[in-house]
């Protein structure tokens, strides 16, 4: 077996026969099929009780390689493949070749792993490795055996994290592992085995270095491979790969520790992983130079050496993969795989650096910021599990106290009877769901946020009614009533504020996801404007209630926000929103003016009108009455008279710019908000200029107007050019 | 402002951004639009779709659509050659009666001349007249031509579907909402907008569900 080491990549061998089983035998049905073909005319179809045209769509054409996965199989079974020497152990009797091949296997496995993380199935990626499929076969080869163990253990850990997070519906290929040997015997001890192998190779490295410097070596150790000139290079290449796996596995187990207890240690392992990746990358030159010519060139470039790895066959698992035959996938190249892991490590480092601030607002802001770097599934799943565990924030802080704290009710003790209120419990669940949803990919997230609005609205109404009922209980003392009233008011205000926050995120995510066309911008900015007004109102209300001395200001009219005077009682956070209100309104009016002045040709669909577009775009918001009294009619009323001369009267952009500039100083120790304000300022300034140009050249047909998001992810900047 | 590129395929897996080198010269009036008329049209449709898509469907998939909804599939001919086709269905979906555009193809030399728009429009018109409340389809996020085409017809990008296609590309679910009659008592007559070049060929399908 070891002599006839298969060095070619498995090719399409003509198979003699698939053997009959004990209770089965093969019969030739070609005559029957022929007769059936003669019997059916073109266009006819067999009818059956449970077979109709719809079912017929799932038909497979036998021997079509795209549909009949059996035809493209190299071997009928794993046993057959092994018998044919596809995954020999050891890979070569020549130790140098054996080491080279093991490194190729390690590299290709890394590429498979990255491909799996990116959204494919385990069966077609990592478990295309035959050595992993039969764990016991590698037991005589310490290096390969320990490596396979740590791979299995790592995949199992990551799989459990993603499964537990349970928000991967659109990435569900990831968790399919039916029929795959995820746990080998003794895999939990993988690290001790790996350490032993690492120790041996370290000694081999020391020995070869001593030999080269002609120093006497104290211990007599057999070298890793045959060629003394290459010993150092191969030892180092192996060591960095083994160490990467060790630290990566440690990282995962550290992060799993409850309540974020292992985060600091995890960061140390992340740093080690990144350092080892650097060594792995640097090893490629040596490996390429000394690549054995025994193997075909690796066209997919999944190994550092450039050689095809031995022992992989994706087609063997195709029956385990899915109900339908799996499409062939492309494994990431080695360079891209390393890039992927670097990004993953960076994202995990951000997660591990989080301070676990016992504040809902901080947690929400952290997730929103984290998502800006577009982390992948594995990083997001880890964040989610850190944030929400056992129904508590960070597995530590009960949701009830987080909510009351966020609502400004610091003095409400955890034992207050209000937490037993069924709608308070429901609210706690809504907050947990919100945190989980915010960790999903943007496309999925937006849909869920939209659907969530009704739940938040309904909960608000239920809480209001329930509080009213409890408040009116005769048994309460008047002092008790005062406290209860305060609690109710705070919580209700906070719930409303959160609802509008969700609505705002729902709307602005549409830009990131490219869901809006230019023709939609006018109404989208208008809706953002009305939502932001409510958000600012509710936030102001809540903050005003929080300060003991301030009387509740009755700034209910939305025009009050447009007072020229800067009211120093308005908190900076509210002013921040106010600058955005002006910016959004300005943008909406600008688009309306551009359309009314015929600078943008309105959409003239033969099938529907702007009204239908409005209904569809804001369906979920309208259903949840977020906000109330908003309709297509109110939108039209606000925008149909916009033109360049009316815009001269209220310069929304100038106001936005002014407020953003003035409130920046309040955020001196909040670099993120400072940066955001700067962006708002920039967009406002540029749009103000663009508007002036439009006004001045209103009748100039050569003026070309376009829009860019390079200054801000969702507030557009107009660019006016003369063509 | 928006660069509008006419490019037809709704369901292509690959996007070809090449300039149209072998454009055929023709007048719009030379294009004949025909409703699906029977088995003889099936190989024409299949060849067109097979040609343009990297993942051809089995014959049963075509039969499902054209047998059950022959009135929703149209072919475009130029001098006897089939140059484009649209294949659709409609039905009840979660309490709404909804049309679905499954395939839309126009061969490369004939693109950019409104043939795809005309094919789709005819099909949507039949859906509307049949009582559909909305029409939907999926398109790759990179398919600028299809997005522009459907955008002009009043479709919005209702959802983004993450990694919808196995090559990792996202898709948009596009939706067109027809006006509800109670909101629009005086809708412009859609029929007036189009020439009656359309030859309605409503032969009975040989198989009915």
């Amino acid at each position: 077996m070891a002599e006839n080491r298969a060095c070619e990549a498995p090719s399409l061998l003509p198979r003699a026969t698939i053997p009959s089983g004990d209770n089965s035998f093969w019969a030739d049905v070609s005559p029957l099929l022929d007769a059936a073909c003669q019997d059916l005319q073109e266009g006819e179809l067999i009818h059956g009780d449970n077979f109709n045209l719809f079912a017929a769509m799932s038909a497979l054409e036998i021997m079509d390689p795209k549909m009949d996965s059996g035809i493209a199989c190299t071997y009928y079974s794993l046993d057959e493949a092994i018998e044919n020497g596809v995954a020999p152990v050891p890979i070569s009797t020549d130790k140098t070749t054996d080491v080279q091949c093991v490194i190729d296997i390690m590299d290709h496995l890394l590429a498979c792993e990255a491909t799996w993380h990116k959204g494919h199935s385990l069966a077609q990626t990592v478990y295309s490795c035959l050595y992993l499929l039969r764990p016991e076969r590698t037991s005589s080869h310490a290096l390969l055996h320990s490596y396979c163990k740590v791979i299995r253990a790592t995949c199992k850990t990551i799989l459990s994290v993603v499964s537990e997070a349970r928000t991967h519906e659109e990435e569900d290929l990831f968790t399919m592992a039916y029929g795959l040997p995820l746990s080998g015997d003794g895999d939990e001890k993988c690290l001790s085995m790996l350490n032993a192998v690492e120790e041996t190779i370290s000694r081999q490295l020391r020995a070869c270095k001593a030999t080269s410097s002609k120093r006497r070596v104290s211990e007599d150790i057999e070298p890793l491979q045959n060629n003394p000139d290459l010993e150092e290079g191969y030892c180092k290449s192996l060591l960095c790969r083994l160490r990467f796996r060790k630290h990566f596995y440690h990282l995962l187990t550290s992060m799993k520790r409850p309540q974020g207890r292992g985060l600091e240690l995890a960061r140390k392992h992340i740093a080690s992983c990144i350092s080892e990746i650097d060594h792995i990358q640097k090893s490629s030159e040596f490996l390429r130079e000394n690549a054995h010519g025994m193997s075909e060139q690796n066209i997919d470039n999944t190994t550092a050496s450039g050689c095809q790895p031995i022992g992989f066959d994706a087609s063997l698992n195709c029956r385990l993969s899915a109900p339908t035959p799996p499409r062939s996938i492309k494994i990431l190249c080695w360079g891209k795989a390393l890039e992927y892991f670097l990004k993953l490590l960076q994202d995990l480092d951000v997660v591990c650096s989080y301070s676990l601030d016992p504040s809902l607002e901080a947690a929400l802001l952290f997730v929103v910021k984290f998502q800006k770097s577009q982390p992948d599934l594995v990083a997001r799943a880890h964040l989610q599990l850190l944030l929400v565990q056992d129904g508590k924030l960070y597995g530590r802080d009960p949701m009830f106290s987080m909510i009351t704290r966020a609502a400004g009710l610091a003095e409400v003790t955890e034992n207050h009877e209000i937490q037993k209120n069924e709608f308070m419990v429901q609210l706690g669940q809504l907050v947990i769901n919100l945190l989980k949803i915010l960790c999903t990919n943007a496309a999925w997230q937006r849909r869920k946020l939209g659907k969530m609005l009704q739940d938040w609205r309904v909960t608000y109404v239920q809480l209001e009614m329930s509080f009213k009922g409890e408040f009116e209980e005769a048994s309460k003392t008047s002092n008790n009533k005062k406290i209860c009233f305060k609690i109710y008011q705070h919580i209700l205000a906070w719930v409303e504020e959160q609802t509008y926050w969700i609505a705002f995120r729902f709307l602005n995510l549409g830009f990131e996801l490219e869901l809006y066309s230019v023709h939609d911008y006018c109404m989208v900015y208008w809706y953002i404007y009305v939502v932001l007004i409510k958000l600012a109102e509710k936030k102001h209300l809540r903050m005003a209630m929080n300060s003991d001395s301030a009387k509740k200001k009755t700034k209910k009219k939305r025009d009050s926000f447009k007072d020229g005077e800067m009211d120093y009682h308005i908190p900076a956070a509210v002013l921040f929103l106010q600058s955005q209100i002006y910016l959004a309104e300005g943008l909406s009016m600008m688009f309306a003016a551009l359309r009314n002045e015929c600078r943008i040709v309105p959409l003239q669909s033969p099938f529907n009108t702007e009204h239908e577009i409005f209904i569809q775009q804001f369906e979920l918001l309208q259903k949840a009455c977020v906000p109330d009294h908003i309709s297509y009619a109110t939108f039209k009323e606000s925008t149909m008279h916009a033109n360049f001369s009316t815009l001269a009267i209220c310069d929304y952009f100038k106001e936005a710019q002014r407020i953003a500039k003035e409130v920046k100083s309040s955020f001196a120790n909040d670099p993120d908000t400072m940066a955001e304000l700067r962006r708002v300022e920039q967009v406002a300034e540029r749009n103000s200029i663009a508007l002036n140009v439009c006004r001045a050249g209103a009748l100039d047909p050569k003026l070309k107007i376009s829009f860019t998001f390079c200054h801000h992810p969702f507030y557009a900047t107009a660019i006016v050019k003369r063509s | 402002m928006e660069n509008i590129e006419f490019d037809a395929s709704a369901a292509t897996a690959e996007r070809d951004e090449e300039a149209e080198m072998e454009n055929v010269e023709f007048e719009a009036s030379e294009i004949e639009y025909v409703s699906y008329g029977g088995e003889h049209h099936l190989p024409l449709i299949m060849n067109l779709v097979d040609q343009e898509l990297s993942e051809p469907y089995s014959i049963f998939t075509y039969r499902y659509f054209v047998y059950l909804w022959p009135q929703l599939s149209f072919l475009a001919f130029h001098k006897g050659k089939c140059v484009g086709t649209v294949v659709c269905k409609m039905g009840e979906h979660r309490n709404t009666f909804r049309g679905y555009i499954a395939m839309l193809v126009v061969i490369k030399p004939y693109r950019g001349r409104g043939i795809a728009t005309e094919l789709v429009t005819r099909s949507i018109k039949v859906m509307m007249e049949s009582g559909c409340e909305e029409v939907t389809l999926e398109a790759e996020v990179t398919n600028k031509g299809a997005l522009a085409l459907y955008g002009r017809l009043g479709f919005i990008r209702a959802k983004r579907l993450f990694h919808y296609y196995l090559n990792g590309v996202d898709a948009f679910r596009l939706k067109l909402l027809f006006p509800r009659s109670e909101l629009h008592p005086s809708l412009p007559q859609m029929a007036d907008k189009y020439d009656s070049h359309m030859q309605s060929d409503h032969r009975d399908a040989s198989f009915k569900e």
Side-chain angles (χ1 to χ4, degrees):
Chain A
M1 174 184 73
E3 308 301 328
N4 303 332
R5 171 193 33 73
C7 51
E8 302 92 11
S11 52
L12 281 157
L13 301 169
R15 198 181 299 113
T17 49
I18 297 171
S20 294
D22 291 329
N23 298 316
S24 59
F25 60 93
W26 292 105
D28 188 0
V29 294
S30 320
L32 179 61
L33 285 176
D34 264 334
C37 289
Q38 305 306 322
D39 214 19
L40 277 175
Q41 298 311 308
E42 202 178 297
E44 285 189 327
L45 186 74
I46 296 171
H47 296 225
D49 283 338
N50 53 3
F51 188 76
N52 55 20
L53 272 175
F54 185 77
M57 279 207 289
S58 316
L60 301 174
E61 284 181 36
I62 308 291
M63 294 180 71
D64 179 333
K66 287 200 170 134
M67 299 186 222
D68 183 355
S69 54
I71 197 81
C73 268
T74 45
Y75 296 101
Y76 181 64
S77 67
L78 178 56
D79 286 315
E80 195 186 339
I82 289 169
E83 274 164 38
N84 278 276
V86 173
V89 180
I91 306 163
S92 170
T93 43
D94 173 61
K95 282 172 82 175
T96 309
T97 311
D98 191 65
V99 164
Q100 289 166 330
C101 291
V102 169
I103 294 175
D104 289 340
I105 290 171
M106 292 177 173
D107 288 346
H108 189 81
L109 272 174
L110 193 78
C112 288
E113 206 178 338
T115 311
W116 170 50
H117 284 204
K118 283 279 186 189
H120 295 283
S121 70
L122 265 178
Q124 281 184 287
T125 54
V126 179
Y127 278 86
S128 65
C129 178
L130 274 66
Y131 293 109
L132 284 174
L133 288 174
R134 282 280 168 83
E136 64 288 353
R137 285 186 71 238
T138 49
S139 47
S140 59
H141 192 307
L143 179 57
L144 193 53
H145 196 58
S146 58
Y147 199 81
C148 288
K149 275 194 179 305
V150 79
I151 292 282
R152 270 194 302 267
T154 303
C155 290
K156 188 172 171 205
T157 302
I158 290 185
L159 195 62
S160 80
V161 167
V162 172
S163 300
E164 214 184 308
R166 250 178 279 142
T167 46
H168 57 274
E169 281 89 341
E170 280 181 338
E171 301 160 277
D172 55 4
L173 282 177
F174 186 93
T175 50
M176 274 170 29
Y178 177 73
L180 296 173
L182 273 175
S183 326
D185 222 8
D187 274 354
E188 334 72 63
K189 301 193 209 88
C190 62
L191 282 183
S192 60
M193 278 200 80
L194 204 69
N195 284 337
V197 172
E198 185 193 340
E199 179 57 35
T200 307
I201 300 178
S202 299
R203 284 157 60 199
Q204 285 162 334
L205 177 63
R206 273 200 299 277
C208 85
K209 277 184 165 168
T211 316
S212 63
S213 66
K214 303 278 192 279
R215 272 186 285 124
R216 284 274 322 184
V217 63
S218 49
E219 51 194 329
D220 225 341
I221 182 161
E222 206 184 311
L224 175 69
Q225 46 81 58
N226 308 325
N227 188 335
D229 296 327
L230 305 177
E231 181 79 354
E232 187 176 334
Y234 280 116
C235 285
K236 283 183 170 169
S237 299
L238 274 176
L239 281 173
C240 56
R241 284 162 172 78
L242 292 173
R243 287 171 181 156
F244 168 75
R245 291 262 57 119
K246 175 178 76 173
H247 287 293
F248 191 65
Y249 188 69
H250 273 306
L251 153 65
L252 295 174
T253 42
S254 303
M255 283 190 81
K256 266 194 145 173
R257 287 175 61 189
Q259 299 175 24
R261 292 201 188 109
L263 295 185
E264 209 180 308
L265 182 57
R267 290 195 76 193
K268 298 201 170 93
H269 287 297
I270 289 173
S272 301
C273 281
I274 292 176
S275 153
E276 296 305 336
I277 286 186
D278 189 49
H279 293 128
I280 293 173
Q281 257 161 344
K282 294 196 170 116
S283 71
S284 96
E285 197 185 322
F286 167 79
L287 292 168
R288 248 177 216 280
E289 270 167 20
N290 297 294
H292 49 98
M294 55 165 269
S295 185
E296 279 174 33
Q297 237 239 306
N298 186 335
I299 355 157
D300 296 323
N301 220 4
T302 55
T303 58
S305 67
C307 296
Q308 194 72 9
I310 287 171
F312 290 83
D313 187 336
S315 68
L316 284 174
N317 280 331
C318 58
R319 283 178 215 97
L320 294 174
S321 291
T324 51
R327 313 283 176 88
S328 70
I329 62 169
K330 200 160 188 298
I331 301 288
L332 279 181
C333 72
W334 187 67
K336 289 264 177 252
L338 288 175
E339 253 174 54
Y340 167 78
F341 275 98
L342 272 174
K343 178 165 202 306
L344 173 62
L345 289 163
Q346 280 154 10
D347 290 337
L348 288 175
D349 196 48
V350 172
V351 173
C352 292
S353 317
Y354 180 49
S355 60
L356 303 189
D357 192 352
S359 147
L360 265 182
E361 192 177 342
L364 292 170
L365 283 174
F366 179 76
V367 183
V368 167
K369 184 180 173 191
F370 179 63
Q371 285 277 30
K372 286 186 183 162
S373 62
Q374 299 186 317
D376 288 306
L377 175 60
V378 174
R380 285 189 273 106
H382 276 89
L383 173 60
Q384 198 215 287
L385 289 188
L386 176 66
L387 288 179
V388 182
Q389 268 167 48
D390 301 326
K392 298 186 193 146
L393 190 65
Y394 322 127
R396 180 189 75 196
D397 305 315
M399 244 349 122
F400 173 72
S401 35
M402 290 295 99
I403 291 172
T404 51
R405 196 181 149 144
L409 294 166
E411 67 271 22
V412 174
T413 66
E414 284 174 16
N415 296 322
H416 196 283
E417 60 187 15
I418 192 184
Q419 71 179 309
K420 295 194 205 113
N421 179 311
E422 68 176 291
F423 302 113
M424 280 303 295
V425 173
Q426 192 173 293
L427 180 62
Q429 197 52 52
L430 281 183
V431 174
I432 288 174
N433 289 347
L434 175 62
L435 284 166
K436 287 184 172 180
I437 293 300
L438 288 172
C439 293
T440 59
N441 70 68
W444 180 254
Q445 187 185 139
R446 185 181 188 266
R447 304 211 295 279
K448 290 295 172 191
L449 288 176
K451 297 223 171 109
M452 202 184 271
L453 287 169
Q454 260 197 303
D455 298 332
W456 279 77
R457 212 67 202 126
V458 165
T459 300
Y460 176 86
V461 170
Q462 287 169 329
L463 275 169
E464 198 177 37
M465 285 187 346
S466 164
F467 287 165
K468 192 159 177 278
E470 284 185 28
F471 185 71
E472 281 160 6
E473 254 180 53
S475 55
K476 284 206 160 60
T477 65
S478 81
N479 199 40
N480 214 344
K481 279 201 173 194
K482 265 200 196 142
I483 296 170
C484 282
F485 183 78
K486 181 177 178 188
I487 293 173
Y488 301 154
Q489 290 302 94
H490 274 69
I491 288 181
L492 288 175
W494 181 80
V495 172
E496 281 208 293
E497 186 190 339
Q498 270 315 118
T499 309
Y500 286 108
W501 185 88
I502 294 170
F504 178 45
R505 185 157 174 82
F506 171 79
L507 287 169
N508 68 42
L509 271 178
F511 285 101
E512 182 188 317
L513 296 169
E514 299 175 295
L515 291 177
Y516 309 131
S517 74
V518 176
H519 300 285
D520 301 324
Y521 289 171
C522 180
M523 61 171 78
V524 172
Y525 284 123
W526 184 83
Y527 222 106
I528 287 178
Y529 155 69
V530 301
V531 163
L532 278 177
I533 285 180
K534 286 301 223 183
L535 178 57
E537 193 182 295
K538 302 301 168 189
K539 187 183 273 289
H540 196 188
L541 187 65
R542 181 185 52 83
M543 291 176 105
M545 280 198 286
N546 287 357
S547 54
D548 290 321
S549 50
K551 295 198 177 89
K552 203 158 62 170
K553 296 193 194 273
T554 50
K555 291 211 173 204
K556 297 239 170 81
K557 286 187 252 162
R558 54 192 224 198
D559 293 314
S560 62
F561 281 105
K562 294 195 207 161
D563 287 346
E565 325 157 4
M566 278 280 277
D567 186 347
Y568 64 84
H569 286 301
I570 300 181
V574 177
L575 287 171
F576 175 34
L577 286 174
Q578 203 174 319
S579 73
Q580 292 184 70
I581 289 169
Y582 277 110
L583 184 54
E585 191 177 11
L587 281 165
S588 181
M589 290 303 145
M590 180 167 74
F591 279 102
L594 287 170
R595 197 194 38 212
N596 294 341
E597 305 254 14
C598 301
R599 289 297 181 169
I600 297 180
V601 177
L603 214 48
Q604 275 154 341
S605 153
F607 295 114
N608 62 10
T609 68
E610 195 185 35
H611 192 171
E612 280 71 50
I613 307 284
F614 187 93
I615 291 172
Q616 281 189 280
Q617 288 288 9
F618 309 118
E619 186 187 342
L620 292 168
L621 292 152
Q622 293 273 288
K623 249 196 218 170
C625 302
V626 175
D628 245 331
H629 311 304
I630 294 297
S631 68
Y632 180 66
T634 44
F635 162 66
K636 274 327 258 182
E637 213 179 287
S638 309
T639 55
M640 68 183 165
H641 299 298
N643 57 46
F644 292 137
S645 40
T646 55
L647 286 183
I649 304 168
C650 341
D651 203 330
Y652 306 103
F653 294 126
K654 280 247 137 43
E655 271 306 289
Q657 200 183 341
R658 186 185 64 80
I659 298 172
K661 207 170 189 165
E662 284 180 29
V663 85
K664 260 198 302 206
S665 51
S666 311
F667 292 102
N669 51 2
D670 182 351
D672 296 324
T673 310
M674 279 274 271
E676 180 63 18
L677 278 164
R678 239 179 275 125
R679 280 192 288 266
V680 167
E681 215 188 321
Q682 266 199 341
V683 175
E685 187 178 351
R686 287 181 154 87
N687 280 326
S688 193
I689 294 169
L691 202 53
N692 283 333
V693 176
C694 284
R695 252 183 241 139
L699 299 169
D700 186 349
K702 288 221 199 93
L703 274 185
K704 264 205 144 83
I705 304 155
S706 60
F707 300 93
T708 175
F709 290 96
C710 62
H711 301 295
H712 192 286
F714 51 87
Y715 293 122
T717 307
I719 303 174
V720 187
K721 285 197 182 124
R722 212 160 249 112
S723 59
Chain B
M1 294 190 316
E2 221 172 54
N3 219 3
I4 299 166
E5 216 86 87
F6 285 74
D7 224 335
S9 313
T12 35
E14 275 158 34
R15 216 33 317 182
D16 205 310
E17 305 286 7
E18 289 173 12
E20 289 127 27
M21 294 182 292
E22 329 122 358
N23 253 352
V24 171
E25 293 295 315
F26 64 92
E27 297 289 323
S29 58
E30 290 173 31
I31 306 293
E32 204 192 328
Y33 295 95
V34 170
S35 180
Y36 176 80
E39 194 73 17
H40 63 285
H41 278 160
L42 193 52
L44 299 173
I45 294 176
M46 285 175 58
N47 284 334
L48 268 185
V49 177
D50 284 1
Q51 210 179 310
E52 300 296 324
L53 298 186
S54 57
E55 300 266 358
Y57 300 110
S58 80
I59 189 169
F60 301 104
T61 304
Y62 296 100
R63 288 238 173 85
Y64 168 71
F65 288 103
V66 302
Y67 277 30
L68 296 175
W69 301 278
Q71 74 279 34
L72 293 180
S73 291
F74 291 88
L75 295 87
F77 288 90
H78 182 230
K79 297 183 175 163
K81 176 182 174 181
C82 184
V83 301
T85 185
V86 68
V87 176
C88 310
K89 68 180 260 195
M90 62 185 171
E92 196 77 27
H93 177 93
R94 289 187 199 172
N95 294 321
T96 42
F97 195 57
R98 169 201 271 198
Y100 178 74
I101 301 173
M103 307 169 212
L104 172 67
V105 187
V106 171
I107 57 177
K108 279 205 197 75
Y110 288 83
R111 291 185 192 166
R113 300 291 302 274
I115 296 176
T117 303
E118 183 61 33
L119 285 166
V120 170
T121 301
R122 285 174 185 245
S123 193
I124 294 176
K125 194 165 164 261
V126 177
M127 291 174 184
M128 192 173 68
E129 287 162 0
S130 309
C132 284
E133 295 159 67
E134 57 185 33
V135 182
T136 179
L137 69 133
E138 293 89 32
E140 284 167 312
V141 302
T142 46
N143 194 339
K144 300 263 180 255
L147 296 175
L149 189 163
Y150 291 106
R152 276 192 302 278
L153 293 176
F155 284 78
I156 68 155
R157 294 168 220 171
K159 292 180 190 174
R160 184 161 179 143
L161 305 166
F162 184 75
H163 288 189
Y164 188 72
Y165 298 102
L166 241 72
N167 57 2
V169 178
D170 293 355
F172 288 126
R173 176 148 297 132
L174 303 179
K175 264 204 201 169
L176 171 76
L177 181 68
F178 291 123
R180 293 199 300 264
S181 51
E182 62 265 22
L183 296 171
H184 296 266
S186 56
L187 262 177
Q189 286 310 303
M190 300 303 174
D192 298 341
K193 294 200 173 204
Y194 301 102
D195 297 329
S196 30
H197 276 192
M198 187 180 115
Q199 290 171 17
S200 254
D201 205 345
H202 292 294
R203 257 178 268 162
D204 288 337
S206 50
F207 176 88
K208 276 202 159 64
E209 174 77 343

